[in-house]
């Protein structure tokens, strides 16, 4: 997708590529979000913040990913199709001794060569059986989130194990991996958003540019969300599971709105590029067979190679740098 950013910039405002000041980059990756689960693709779910960004940015009309999670994340980080990294078959399950190969030079490592600070928030899912596969050993300056492919949104547990952490380097360059037991009971979507907002406050006076990789857990199952998000759909969605799913999307949309407001408040928005995507199509067979996500008008969903499984909503937002528009070029993450 970093190549998609360059393509769009070159097509719509080529002088950006040669600007004296390097732009900051925020890549927001949703999880299992279907093509029609957002308002800007004619979905029925309320996403005012994403809608606004899509209308102000460049909509990527033919944006493609892989059919499941780890292969897409590996492609994003390496810039290579999963067939070249061994990630083409499936996701990385807990306890499996593999990950994105260590001989791959990945996105944060490349950006470090251009003086970017690099920060990862949310879901990793590219290997954890050895420390060498975890974010701080792959080019990130810090990490806040979880290593595995999923967790409970409130307890932060997966298969009985706790997986929510803050990783950072100490002043001697040693990695500190801190399990955040104090965050049990707090909703992970809101925690991820708060972390990015806090980062922006810290980075606003930094001379060098930054890259933030925000990989939300939303809207992957289990479908869980604080009640006040559900209440807004009380009158117009009758099915309880659909209501719960819509509330999860709204929680993420609210978080993204908080991030864009933080960009404005810190004065960073005019020099920041934000890219939004999903890691695969919506899971139309989730949660006991109840269809909650929508990939309309495309066939299939997560795990399928039909359009519904690999074609996702996506845009590039760069106020002050990009004019609103639409790219019909075929783009892979």
């Amino acid at each position: 997708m970093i190549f998609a950013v360059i393509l769009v910039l070159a097509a719509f405002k080529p002088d950006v590529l040669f600007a004296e000041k390097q732009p900051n980059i925020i890549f927001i990756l949703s999880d299992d979000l279907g093509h029609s689960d957002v308002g800007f693709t004619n979905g029925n779910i309320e996403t005012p913040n994403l809608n606004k960004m899509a209308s102000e940015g460049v909509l990527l009309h033919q944006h493609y990913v892989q059919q499941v999670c780890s292969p897409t994340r590996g492609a994003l980080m390496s810039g290579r199709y999963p067939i070249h990294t061994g990630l083409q078959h499936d996701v990385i399950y807990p306890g499996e001794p593999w990950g994105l190969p260590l001989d791959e030079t990945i996105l944060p490592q490349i950006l470090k060569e251009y003086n970017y600070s690099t920060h990862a928030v949310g879901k990793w899912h590219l290997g954890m059986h050895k420390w060498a596969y975890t974010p701080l050993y792959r080019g990130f300056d810090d990490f806040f989130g979880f290593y595995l492919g999923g967790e409970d949104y409130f307890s932060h547990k997966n298969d009985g194990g706790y997986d929510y952490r803050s990783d950072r380097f100490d002043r001697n360059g040693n990695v500190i991996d801190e399990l955040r037991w104090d965050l049990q009971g707090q909703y992970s979507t809101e925690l991820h958003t708060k972390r990015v907002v806090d980062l922006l406050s810290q980075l606003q006076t930094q001379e060098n540019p930054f890259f933030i990789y925000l990989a939300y857990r939303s809207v992957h199952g289990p479908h869980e969300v604080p009640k006040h998000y559900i209440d807004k759909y009380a009158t117009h969605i009758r099915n309880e599971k659909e209501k719960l799913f819509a509330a999860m999307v709204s929680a993420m949309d609210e978080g993204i709105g908080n991030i864009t407001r933080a960009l404005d408040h810190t004065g960073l928005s005019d020099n920041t590029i934000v890219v939004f995507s999903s890691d695969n199509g919506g899971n139309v067979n989730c949660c006991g067979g109840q269809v909650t996500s929508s990939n309309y008008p495309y066939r299939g969903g997560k795990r399928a190679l039909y359009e519904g499984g690999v074609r996702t909503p996506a845009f590039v937002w760069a106020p002050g740098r990009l004019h609103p528009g639409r790219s019909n070029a075929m783009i892979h993450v």
Side-chain angles (χ1 to χ4, degrees):
M1 174 61 81
I2 196 65
F3 302 109
V5 175
I6 294 172
L7 173 66
V8 171
L9 290 176
F12 286 85
K13 201 167 184 182
D15 59 297
V16 172
L17 294 177
F18 308 102
E20 181 179 338
K21 190 174 183 181
Q22 294 169 290
N24 306 307
I25 302 169
I26 301 177
F27 196 107
I28 303 175
L29 190 66
S30 181
D31 199 340
D32 288 5
L33 186 73
H35 184 270
S36 290
D37 290 337
V38 289
F40 66 86
T41 56
N42 299 313
N44 294 318
I45 298 174
E46 298 176 16
T47 56
N49 296 295
L50 285 169
N51 296 352
K52 183 174 184 292
M53 296 176 74
S55 68
E56 295 174 348
V58 176
L59 189 66
L60 305 180
H61 181 60
Q62 295 193 82
H63 175 260
Y64 289 87
V65 293
Q66 299 303 123
Q67 75 278 18
V68 285
C69 171
S70 296
T72 292
R73 293 163 200 270
L76 169 63
M77 286 293 143
S78 67
R80 306 184 72 199
Y81 286 111
I83 190 70
H84 300 295
T85 61
L87 287 167
Q88 72 271 26
H89 297 297
D90 203 350
V91 302
I92 301 170
Y93 290 96
E96 291 188 336
W98 64 294
L100 182 63
L102 299 180
D103 59 358
E104 295 289 341
T105 300
I106 67 172
L107 183 56
Q109 294 169 318
I110 294 171
L111 289 173
K112 295 291 282 185
E113 296 178 7
Y114 292 89
N115 204 32
Y116 277 77
S117 65
T118 54
H119 315 271
V121 178
K123 176 175 173 176
W124 178 238
H125 209 191
L126 286 173
M128 62 162 291
H129 67 290
K130 294 181 179 179
W131 285 115
Y133 287 85
T134 60
L136 267 64
Y137 294 87
R138 306 304 303 262
F140 284 103
D141 293 327
D142 48 63
F143 172 74
F144 177 88
F146 56 99
Y147 290 160
L148 295 172
E151 57 156 26
D152 184 276
Y153 282 83
F154 292 97
S155 72
H156 310 306
K157 290 184 178 181
N158 186 318
D159 289 339
Y162 192 77
D163 184 24
Y164 211 85
R165 57 193 75 228
S166 294
D167 291 355
R168 61 192 184 279
F169 291 99
D170 66 16
R171 63 182 60 188
N172 296 316
N174 300 310
V175 172
I176 298 175
D177 173 51
E178 178 187 3
L179 282 176
R180 296 298 302 273
W181 296 99
D182 58 308
L183 299 178
Q184 278 191 301
Q186 299 184 47
Y187 191 55
S188 63
T189 301
E190 295 175 338
L191 290 172
H192 297 159
T193 297
K194 183 179 184 301
R195 172 58 179 166
V196 173
V197 170
D198 290 344
L199 274 172
L200 294 175
S201 179
Q202 297 167 23
L203 295 170
Q204 63 179 312
T205 58
Q206 178 177 285
E207 289 296 323
N208 55 310
F210 61 78
F211 168 60
I212 297 175
Y213 171 49
L214 169 57
Y216 276 118
R217 168 82 165 125
S218 297
V219 288
H220 195 293
H223 291 166
E224 300 169 326
V225 68
K227 183 178 181 299
H228 64 273
Y229 292 108
I230 301 174
D231 291 342
K232 68 184 296 183
Y233 292 100
T235 59
H236 57 286
I237 297 182
R238 294 184 178 181
N239 183 285
E240 292 301 318
K241 290 186 177 180
E242 291 179 5
K243 188 184 302 182
L244 180 60
F245 180 83
M248 292 178 68
V249 179
S250 289
M252 180 181 64
D253 179 78
E254 179 183 277
I256 293 170
N258 291 342
I259 291 168
T260 57
R261 281 186 287 276
L263 285 169
D264 289 337
H265 179 73
T266 54
L268 293 167
S269 58
D270 286 344
N271 194 47
T272 299
I273 298 170
V274 178
V275 185
F276 176 82
S277 174
S278 177
D279 64 342
N280 46 250
N283 191 352
V284 296
N285 295 307
C286 181
C287 310
Q290 176 67 50
V291 176
T292 51
S293 183
S294 173
N295 299 301
Y296 181 84
Y298 305 119
R299 179 182 181 183
K302 180 179 181 179
R303 294 189 175 277
L305 293 177
Y306 295 115
E307 295 277 285
V310 296
R311 188 168 177 172
T312 68
F315 60 77
V316 180
W317 180 79
R321 289 178 173 268
L322 281 178
H323 296 300
R326 165 173 160 156
S327 171
N328 291 316
M330 292 186 69
I331 296 172
H332 188 266
V333 70

